[in-house]
Protein backbone atom coordinates (compact mmCIF):
# COMPACT_ATOMS: atom_id res chain seq x y z
CA UNK A 1 0.00 0.00 0.00
CA UNK A 2 1.50 3.33 -1.08
CA UNK A 3 0.53 5.57 1.84
CA UNK A 4 2.50 8.51 0.49
CA UNK A 5 0.45 8.48 -2.72
CA UNK A 6 -2.79 8.25 -0.72
CA UNK A 7 -1.67 11.15 1.46
CA UNK A 8 -0.80 13.27 -1.57
CA UNK A 9 -4.14 12.71 -3.36
CA UNK A 10 -6.21 13.24 -0.20
CA UNK A 11 -4.27 16.46 0.44
CA UNK A 12 -5.12 17.71 -3.03
CA UNK A 13 -8.76 16.78 -2.43
CA UNK A 14 -8.85 18.81 0.80
CA UNK A 15 -7.23 21.71 -1.07
CA UNK A 16 -10.19 21.70 -3.45
CA UNK A 17 -12.55 21.80 -0.46
CA UNK A 18 -10.62 24.70 1.08
CA UNK A 19 -10.92 26.67 -2.17
CA UNK A 20 -14.70 26.17 -2.10
CA UNK A 21 -14.78 27.46 1.50
CA UNK A 22 -12.83 30.56 0.47
CA UNK A 23 -15.31 31.24 -2.33
CA UNK A 24 -18.22 31.10 0.13
CA UNK A 25 -16.24 33.27 2.56
CA UNK A 26 -15.74 35.91 -0.13
CA UNK A 27 -19.50 35.93 -0.76
CA UNK A 28 -20.17 36.33 2.97
CA UNK A 29 -17.69 39.22 3.10
CA UNK A 30 -19.34 40.90 0.13
CA UNK A 31 -22.94 40.18 1.21
CA UNK A 32 -23.91 43.49 2.82
CA UNK A 33 -27.58 42.49 3.11
CA UNK A 34 -26.97 40.29 6.12
CA UNK A 35 -23.54 41.57 7.11
CA UNK A 36 -22.05 38.10 7.41
CA UNK A 37 -18.70 39.32 8.69
CA UNK A 38 -18.44 36.62 11.34
CA UNK A 39 -19.54 33.98 8.86
CA UNK A 40 -16.83 35.16 6.45
CA UNK A 41 -14.19 34.97 9.18
CA UNK A 42 -15.23 31.48 10.20
CA UNK A 43 -15.28 30.27 6.60
CA UNK A 44 -11.79 31.66 6.06
CA UNK A 45 -10.65 30.04 9.33
CA UNK A 46 -12.17 26.72 8.24
CA UNK A 47 -10.40 27.05 4.89
CA UNK A 48 -7.11 27.78 6.65
CA UNK A 49 -7.45 24.70 8.87
CA UNK A 50 -8.46 22.51 5.94
CA UNK A 51 -5.72 23.93 3.73
CA UNK A 52 -3.12 23.51 6.48
CA UNK A 53 -3.95 19.84 6.92
CA UNK A 54 -3.95 19.46 3.14
CA UNK A 55 -0.45 20.94 2.93
CA UNK A 56 0.81 18.57 5.62
CA UNK A 57 -0.58 15.67 3.62
CA UNK A 58 0.69 16.83 0.22
CA UNK A 59 4.33 17.58 1.10
CA UNK A 60 5.34 14.03 2.14
CA UNK A 61 3.50 12.66 -0.87
CA UNK A 62 5.40 14.89 -3.27
CA UNK A 63 8.82 14.20 -1.75
CA UNK A 64 8.38 10.46 -1.27
CA UNK A 65 6.52 9.34 -4.42
CA UNK A 66 6.78 10.08 -8.11
CA UNK A 67 3.86 7.91 -9.25
CA UNK A 68 1.67 9.37 -11.98
CA UNK A 69 -0.95 6.62 -11.75
CA UNK A 70 -3.34 5.57 -8.98
CA UNK A 71 -3.41 1.76 -8.49
CA UNK A 72 -6.75 0.10 -7.84
CA UNK A 73 -6.11 -0.73 -4.17
CA UNK A 74 -5.03 2.84 -3.36
CA UNK A 75 -8.02 4.20 -5.29
CA UNK A 76 -10.44 2.27 -3.08
CA UNK A 77 -8.82 3.73 0.05
CA UNK A 78 -8.86 7.26 -1.42
CA UNK A 79 -12.56 7.01 -2.26
CA UNK A 80 -13.50 5.81 1.22
CA UNK A 81 -11.30 8.21 3.17
CA UNK A 82 -12.03 11.06 0.76
CA UNK A 83 -15.73 11.18 1.59
CA UNK A 84 -15.06 10.90 5.33
CA UNK A 85 -12.39 13.63 5.39
CA UNK A 86 -14.48 15.98 3.25
CA UNK A 87 -17.41 15.52 5.63
CA UNK A 88 -15.24 16.07 8.72
CA UNK A 89 -13.60 19.28 7.51
CA UNK A 90 -16.79 20.41 5.77
CA UNK A 91 -18.46 20.54 9.18
CA UNK A 92 -16.04 23.19 10.53
CA UNK A 93 -18.12 26.22 9.41
CA UNK A 94 -21.19 24.86 11.23
CA UNK A 95 -19.10 24.22 14.32
CA UNK A 96 -17.36 27.62 14.43
CA UNK A 97 -20.10 30.02 13.32
CA UNK A 98 -23.16 31.00 15.37
CA UNK A 99 -25.80 29.80 16.03
CA UNK A 100 -23.42 26.81 16.16
CA UNK A 101 -23.98 23.08 15.83
CA UNK A 102 -22.57 20.39 18.07
CA UNK A 103 -19.63 18.37 16.69
CA UNK A 104 -21.94 15.48 15.85
CA UNK A 105 -24.50 17.87 14.33
CA UNK A 106 -21.84 19.62 12.24
CA UNK A 107 -20.55 16.29 10.91
CA UNK A 108 -24.11 15.17 10.17
CA UNK A 109 -24.94 18.37 8.27
CA UNK A 110 -21.72 18.18 6.28
CA UNK A 111 -22.11 14.49 5.44
CA UNK A 112 -25.73 15.08 4.48
CA UNK A 113 -24.55 17.75 2.07
CA UNK A 114 -21.69 15.88 0.41
CA UNK A 115 -23.76 12.71 0.04
CA UNK A 116 -26.74 14.83 -1.17
CA UNK A 117 -28.94 13.04 1.35
CA UNK A 118 -30.72 16.27 2.25
CA UNK A 119 -31.43 15.57 5.91
CA UNK A 120 -30.74 18.48 8.25
CA UNK A 121 -30.35 19.15 11.96
CA UNK A 122 -30.85 22.91 11.51
CA UNK A 123 -34.12 23.84 13.22
CA UNK A 124 -34.72 27.34 11.82
CA UNK A 125 -32.81 27.71 8.57
CA UNK A 126 -33.21 31.50 8.38
CA UNK A 127 -31.27 31.92 11.65
CA UNK A 128 -28.06 30.97 9.86
CA UNK A 129 -25.92 33.50 7.96
CA UNK A 130 -26.32 33.39 4.21
CA UNK A 131 -22.62 32.62 3.71
CA UNK A 132 -22.99 29.42 5.75
CA UNK A 133 -26.14 28.44 3.86
CA UNK A 134 -24.29 28.98 0.59
CA UNK A 135 -21.56 26.64 1.85
CA UNK A 136 -24.31 24.16 2.75
CA UNK A 137 -25.60 24.29 -0.83
CA UNK A 138 -22.04 24.10 -2.19
CA UNK A 139 -21.40 20.83 -0.37
CA UNK A 140 -24.32 19.35 -2.30
CA UNK A 141 -23.03 20.81 -5.56
CA UNK A 142 -19.65 19.14 -4.99
CA UNK A 143 -21.19 15.90 -3.82
CA UNK A 144 -23.78 15.71 -6.60
CA UNK A 145 -21.67 14.40 -9.42
CA UNK A 146 -19.21 13.01 -6.90
CA UNK A 147 -16.47 15.25 -5.60
CA UNK A 148 -13.98 12.56 -6.59
CA UNK A 149 -15.28 12.41 -10.17
CA UNK A 150 -14.77 16.17 -10.28
CA UNK A 151 -11.31 15.53 -8.89
CA UNK A 152 -10.55 13.04 -11.67
CA UNK A 153 -11.22 15.76 -14.22
CA UNK A 154 -8.83 18.09 -12.41
CA UNK A 155 -6.16 15.39 -12.05
CA UNK A 156 -6.13 14.96 -15.82
CA UNK A 157 -4.73 18.47 -16.14
CA UNK A 158 -1.77 17.72 -13.88
CA UNK A 159 -0.86 14.52 -15.65
CA UNK A 160 -2.15 11.98 -13.11
CA UNK A 161 -3.91 8.90 -14.48
CA UNK A 162 -6.93 8.08 -12.32
CA UNK A 163 -8.90 5.35 -14.09
CA UNK A 164 -9.21 3.22 -10.95
CA UNK A 165 -10.34 6.21 -8.90
CA UNK A 166 -13.08 6.99 -11.41
CA UNK A 167 -14.41 3.43 -11.57
CA UNK A 168 -14.44 2.98 -7.77
CA UNK A 169 -16.21 6.28 -7.23
CA UNK A 170 -18.81 6.23 -9.97
CA UNK A 171 -21.23 4.00 -11.84
CA UNK A 172 -20.30 5.83 -15.07
CA UNK A 173 -18.58 3.72 -17.71
CA UNK A 174 -16.65 5.39 -20.51
CA UNK A 175 -16.57 2.18 -22.54
CA UNK A 176 -20.22 2.69 -23.46
CA UNK A 177 -19.24 5.84 -25.31
CA UNK A 178 -16.05 4.72 -26.96
CA UNK A 179 -13.97 7.41 -25.28
CA UNK A 180 -10.29 6.66 -25.25
CA UNK A 181 -9.43 8.14 -21.86
CA UNK A 182 -11.29 8.06 -18.56
CA UNK A 183 -10.34 11.70 -18.02
CA UNK A 184 -12.23 12.61 -21.21
CA UNK A 185 -15.39 11.13 -19.75
CA UNK A 186 -14.95 12.83 -16.38
CA UNK A 187 -14.22 16.20 -17.96
CA UNK A 188 -17.20 15.96 -20.31
CA UNK A 189 -19.52 14.96 -17.46
CA UNK A 190 -18.23 17.90 -15.44
CA UNK A 191 -19.01 20.30 -18.29
CA UNK A 192 -22.53 18.90 -18.64
CA UNK A 193 -23.04 19.20 -14.87
CA UNK A 194 -21.91 22.85 -14.86
CA UNK A 195 -24.09 23.61 -17.92
CA UNK A 196 -27.16 22.20 -16.14
CA UNK A 197 -26.38 24.25 -13.02
CA UNK A 198 -26.05 27.47 -15.05
CA UNK A 199 -29.23 26.80 -17.05
CA UNK A 200 -31.22 26.18 -13.86
CA UNK A 201 -29.66 29.19 -12.12
CA UNK A 202 -30.37 31.71 -14.89
CA UNK A 203 -33.90 30.37 -15.30
CA UNK A 204 -34.67 30.85 -11.60
CA UNK A 205 -33.11 34.32 -11.69
CA UNK A 206 -35.33 35.24 -14.66
CA UNK A 207 -38.35 34.13 -12.62
CA UNK A 208 -37.61 36.67 -9.90
CA UNK A 209 -35.35 34.90 -7.43
CA UNK A 210 -32.34 36.81 -6.14
CA UNK A 211 -28.92 35.66 -7.33
CA UNK A 212 -28.32 34.14 -3.90
CA UNK A 213 -31.56 32.14 -3.79
CA UNK A 214 -31.25 31.12 -7.44
CA UNK A 215 -27.69 29.90 -6.83
CA UNK A 216 -28.57 27.90 -3.71
CA UNK A 217 -31.58 26.26 -5.36
CA UNK A 218 -29.71 25.54 -8.60
CA UNK A 219 -26.89 23.89 -6.65
CA UNK A 220 -29.28 21.68 -4.69
CA UNK A 221 -31.59 20.91 -7.62
CA UNK A 222 -28.94 19.65 -10.03
CA UNK A 223 -27.32 17.63 -7.25
CA UNK A 224 -30.81 16.32 -6.29
CA UNK A 225 -29.99 17.17 -2.68
CA UNK A 226 -32.86 19.49 -1.87
CA UNK A 227 -31.37 21.65 0.89
CA UNK A 228 -33.11 25.03 0.64
CA UNK A 229 -32.16 28.30 2.36
CA UNK A 230 -35.80 28.52 3.52
CA UNK A 231 -37.48 26.42 6.18
CA UNK A 232 -40.57 26.22 3.96
CA UNK A 233 -38.48 24.96 1.03
CA UNK A 234 -40.08 25.76 -2.35
CA UNK A 235 -43.34 26.42 -0.50
CA UNK A 236 -41.72 29.75 0.45
CA UNK A 237 -42.64 30.97 -3.05
CA UNK A 238 -46.26 29.78 -2.89
CA UNK A 239 -47.60 33.36 -2.74
CA UNK A 240 -45.71 34.41 -5.85
CA UNK A 241 -47.81 34.77 -8.97
CA UNK A 242 -45.35 32.68 -10.96
CA UNK A 243 -44.80 30.02 -8.30
CA UNK A 244 -46.19 27.40 -10.68
CA UNK A 245 -43.51 28.34 -13.20
CA UNK A 246 -40.74 27.97 -10.58
CA UNK A 247 -42.10 24.55 -9.63
CA UNK A 248 -42.28 23.48 -13.29
CA UNK A 249 -38.72 24.66 -13.93
CA UNK A 250 -37.37 22.76 -10.93
CA UNK A 251 -39.45 19.71 -11.85
CA UNK A 252 -37.82 19.58 -15.30
CA UNK A 253 -34.30 19.74 -13.89
CA UNK A 254 -35.00 17.24 -11.12
CA UNK A 255 -36.20 14.83 -13.81
CA UNK A 256 -33.19 15.44 -16.06
CA UNK A 257 -30.74 14.90 -13.21
CA UNK A 258 -32.43 11.63 -12.27
CA UNK A 259 -31.38 10.20 -15.66
CA UNK A 260 -28.03 8.65 -16.48
CA UNK A 261 -25.67 11.52 -17.28
CA UNK A 262 -24.13 9.50 -20.10
CA UNK A 263 -27.43 10.03 -21.96
CA UNK A 264 -26.55 13.72 -22.22
CA UNK A 265 -23.37 12.78 -24.04
CA UNK A 266 -25.44 10.60 -26.37
CA UNK A 267 -27.79 13.55 -26.94
CA UNK A 268 -24.84 15.74 -27.85
CA UNK A 269 -24.03 13.20 -30.56
CA UNK A 270 -27.65 13.34 -31.85
CA UNK A 271 -28.15 9.64 -31.16
CA UNK A 272 -31.78 10.09 -30.12
CA UNK A 273 -32.66 6.49 -30.89
CA UNK A 274 -30.31 5.40 -28.11
CA UNK A 275 -31.86 7.96 -25.74
CA UNK A 276 -35.45 6.86 -26.30
CA UNK A 277 -34.53 3.18 -26.10
CA UNK A 278 -32.92 3.53 -22.67
CA UNK A 279 -34.93 1.26 -20.38
CA UNK A 280 -33.95 3.05 -17.15
CA UNK A 281 -35.14 6.43 -18.45
CA UNK A 282 -38.42 5.06 -19.80
CA UNK A 283 -39.18 3.23 -16.58
CA UNK A 284 -38.33 6.22 -14.39
CA UNK A 285 -40.50 8.65 -16.37
CA UNK A 286 -43.27 6.08 -16.66
CA UNK A 287 -43.33 5.40 -12.92
CA UNK A 288 -43.44 9.14 -12.15
CA UNK A 289 -46.30 9.75 -14.60
CA UNK A 290 -48.28 6.74 -13.37
CA UNK A 291 -47.96 7.60 -9.68
CA UNK A 292 -48.73 11.27 -10.37
CA UNK A 293 -51.94 10.41 -12.21
CA UNK A 294 -52.98 7.91 -9.54
CA UNK A 295 -52.40 10.30 -6.62
CA UNK A 296 -53.91 13.32 -8.41
CA UNK A 297 -57.03 11.39 -9.43
CA UNK A 298 -57.47 9.91 -5.97
CA UNK A 299 -57.14 13.24 -4.16
CA UNK A 300 -59.36 15.02 -6.65
CA UNK A 301 -62.09 12.38 -6.38
CA UNK A 302 -61.95 11.70 -2.64
CA UNK A 303 -60.99 15.12 -1.24
CA UNK A 304 -62.71 17.39 -3.75
CA UNK A 305 -59.50 19.16 -4.74
CA UNK A 306 -59.51 20.78 -8.17
CA UNK A 307 -57.85 18.64 -10.86
CA UNK A 308 -55.31 21.37 -11.72
CA UNK A 309 -54.20 21.78 -8.11
CA UNK A 310 -54.07 18.05 -7.43
CA UNK A 311 -51.98 17.40 -10.58
CA UNK A 312 -49.63 20.29 -9.77
CA UNK A 313 -49.03 19.19 -6.18
CA UNK A 314 -48.78 15.50 -7.04
CA UNK A 315 -46.39 16.01 -9.98
CA UNK A 316 -43.92 18.16 -8.06
CA UNK A 317 -44.01 15.94 -4.97
CA UNK A 318 -43.65 12.70 -6.95
CA UNK A 319 -40.66 13.91 -8.99
CA UNK A 320 -39.05 15.54 -5.93
CA UNK A 321 -39.34 12.29 -3.97
CA UNK A 322 -38.48 9.93 -6.83
CA UNK A 323 -35.35 11.96 -7.63
CA UNK A 324 -34.53 11.94 -3.88
CA UNK A 325 -34.28 15.75 -4.02
CA UNK A 326 -36.80 16.35 -1.26
CA UNK A 327 -38.06 19.84 -2.11
CA UNK A 328 -41.53 20.46 -0.76
CA UNK A 329 -44.49 22.65 -1.73
CA UNK A 330 -47.21 20.93 0.25
CA UNK A 331 -47.52 18.84 3.41
CA UNK A 332 -48.02 15.38 1.95
CA UNK A 333 -48.22 13.99 5.47
CA UNK A 334 -51.85 15.10 5.28
CA UNK A 335 -52.46 12.96 2.20
CA UNK A 336 -54.26 9.58 2.39
CA UNK A 337 -52.28 6.63 3.72
CA UNK A 338 -52.18 4.88 0.34
CA UNK A 339 -50.60 7.99 -1.22
CA UNK A 340 -47.93 8.11 1.49
CA UNK A 341 -47.15 4.42 0.89
CA UNK A 342 -46.58 5.17 -2.81
CA UNK A 343 -44.29 8.05 -1.89
CA UNK A 344 -42.32 5.80 0.45
CA UNK A 345 -41.85 3.32 -2.41
CA UNK A 346 -40.59 6.13 -4.65
CA UNK A 347 -38.04 7.08 -1.98
CA UNK A 348 -36.77 3.52 -1.99
CA UNK A 349 -36.48 3.20 -5.77
CA UNK A 350 -34.78 6.52 -6.53
CA UNK A 351 -33.44 7.55 -9.93
CA UNK A 352 -31.35 5.93 -12.67
CA UNK A 353 -27.83 4.57 -12.33
CA UNK A 354 -25.26 7.17 -13.32
CA UNK A 355 -27.44 10.06 -12.11
CA UNK A 356 -27.11 12.32 -9.09
CA UNK A 357 -30.25 10.74 -7.56
CA UNK A 358 -30.15 8.25 -4.72
CA UNK A 359 -32.14 5.09 -4.00
CA UNK A 360 -31.35 1.55 -5.15
CA UNK A 361 -31.90 2.72 -8.75
CA UNK A 362 -34.54 1.93 -11.36
CA UNK A 363 -32.23 -0.46 -13.20
CA UNK A 364 -32.22 -2.86 -10.25
CA UNK A 365 -36.02 -2.66 -10.15
CA UNK A 366 -36.10 -3.67 -13.81
CA UNK A 367 -33.84 -6.65 -13.14
CA UNK A 368 -35.99 -7.65 -10.17
CA UNK A 369 -39.19 -7.32 -12.23
Amino acid sequence: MNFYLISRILGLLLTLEAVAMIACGLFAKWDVVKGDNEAASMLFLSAAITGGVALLAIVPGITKTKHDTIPKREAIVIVGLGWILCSVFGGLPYLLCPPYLTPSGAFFESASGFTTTGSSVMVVIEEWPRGILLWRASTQLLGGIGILVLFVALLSYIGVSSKSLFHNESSFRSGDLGLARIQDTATLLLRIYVALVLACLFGLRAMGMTWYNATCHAFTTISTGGLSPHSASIGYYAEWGNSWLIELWLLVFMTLCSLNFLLFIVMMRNNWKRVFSDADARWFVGICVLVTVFIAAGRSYNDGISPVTSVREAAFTVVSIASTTGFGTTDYDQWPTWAKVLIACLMLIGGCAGSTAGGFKVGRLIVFA
Side-chain angles (χ1 to χ4, degrees):
M1 184 72 69
N2 191 333
F3 293 103
Y4 290 110
L5 176 63
I6 294 172
S7 174
R8 175 190 172 194
I9 300 301
L10 289 176
L12 291 171
L13 187 62
L14 289 178
T15 301
L16 175 64
E17 184 174 14
V19 170
M21 288 179 180
I22 292 173
C24 293
L26 291 174
F27 165 79
K29 195 72 175 177
W30 167 80
D31 184 28
V32 295
V33 177
K34 295 269 300 185
D36 289 347
N37 290 326
E38 187 169 5
S41 300
M42 294 303 101
L43 282 164
F44 290 143
L45 177 59
S46 300
I49 296 172
T50 305
V53 173
L55 184 62
L56 292 175
I58 291 173
V59 172
I62 292 178
T63 58
K64 296 292 185 178
T65 180
K66 302 298 181 183
H67 288 272
D68 60 353
T69 60
I70 304 176
K72 189 171 185 178
R73 184 170 58 173
E74 280 76 3
I76 294 173
V77 175
I78 291 171
V79 169
L81 289 179
W83 283 107
I84 295 173
L85 288 176
C86 284
S87 297
V88 169
F89 287 95
L92 289 176
Y94 309 121
L95 190 64
L96 299 174
C97 185
Y100 306 109
L101 287 179
T102 63
S104 59
F107 178 74
F108 181 95
E109 197 73 25
S110 178
S112 176
F114 281 114
T115 59
T116 69
T117 303
S119 297
S120 179
V121 294
M122 293 182 177
V123 180
V124 181
I125 307 298
E126 287 80 2
E127 286 183 352
W128 287 83
R130 302 205 318 174
I132 299 297
L133 294 180
L134 180 62
W135 167 246
R136 183 170 173 254
S138 298
T139 59
Q140 292 206 321
L141 176 73
L142 293 172
I145 200 168
I147 189 172
L148 293 165
V149 173
L150 166 63
F151 194 54
V152 166
L154 298 178
L155 286 177
S156 65
Y157 290 103
I158 60 176
V160 177
S161 175
S162 44
K163 182 176 181 179
S164 296
L165 180 60
F166 183 88
H167 280 314
N168 281 288
E169 158 59 19
S170 174
S171 59
F172 297 127
R173 291 294 178 265
S174 63
D176 296 336
L177 304 170
L179 296 179
R181 298 193 313 156
I182 205 73
Q183 288 88 349
D184 294 336
T185 305
T187 303
L188 190 52
L189 289 170
L190 176 59
R191 291 174 180 172
I192 293 171
Y193 190 68
V194 172
L196 287 170
V197 171
L198 292 177
C200 184
L201 190 158
F202 286 117
L204 293 173
R205 180 69 182 97
M207 294 172 197
M209 284 192 186
T210 63
W211 283 112
Y212 162 74
N213 283 316
T215 299
C216 287
H217 285 107
F219 284 4
T220 57
T221 298
I222 304 305
S223 64
T224 59
L227 291 177
S228 172
H230 306 297
S231 297
S233 191
I234 306 304
Y236 176 84
Y237 302 99
E239 301 301 321
W240 288 28
N242 64 341
S243 59
W244 66 272
L245 192 58
I246 293 174
E247 294 172 21
L248 180 61
W249 188 253
L250 294 176
L251 185 150
V252 168
F253 281 94
M254 286 189 294
T255 302
L256 288 175
C257 293
S258 298
L259 307 179
N260 191 324
F261 268 54
L262 294 183
L263 287 179
F264 295 112
I265 301 179
V266 175
M267 292 177 193
M268 293 168 61
R269 298 181 175 183
N270 293 320
N271 189 357
W272 294 100
K273 183 178 180 181
R274 170 68 180 83
V275 174
F276 292 121
S277 65
D278 186 79
D280 283 21
R282 288 189 287 110
W283 272 64
F284 177 77
V285 174
I287 289 172
C288 288
V289 171
L290 183 64
V291 176
T292 296
V293 170
F294 194 49
I295 291 179
R299 294 187 67 224
S300 181
Y301 179 78
N302 294 323
D303 302 334
I305 301 173
S306 71
V308 174
T309 301
S310 60
V311 168
R312 174 181 169 180
E313 292 180 350
F316 187 89
T317 301
V318 164
V319 173
S320 178
I321 295 300
S323 65
T324 67
T325 305
F327 282 143
T329 57
T330 184
D331 184 10
Y332 57 78
D333 192 46
Q334 303 301 317
W335 290 6
T337 301
W338 58 266
K340 289 186 285 187
V341 171
L342 287 176
I343 289 174
C345 292
L346 291 175
M347 291 179 184
L348 178 65
I349 297 171
C352 304
S355 70
T356 60
F360 71 77
K361 302 295 188 282
V362 173
R364 294 186 177 93
L365 175 65
I366 297 174
V367 172
F368 176 78

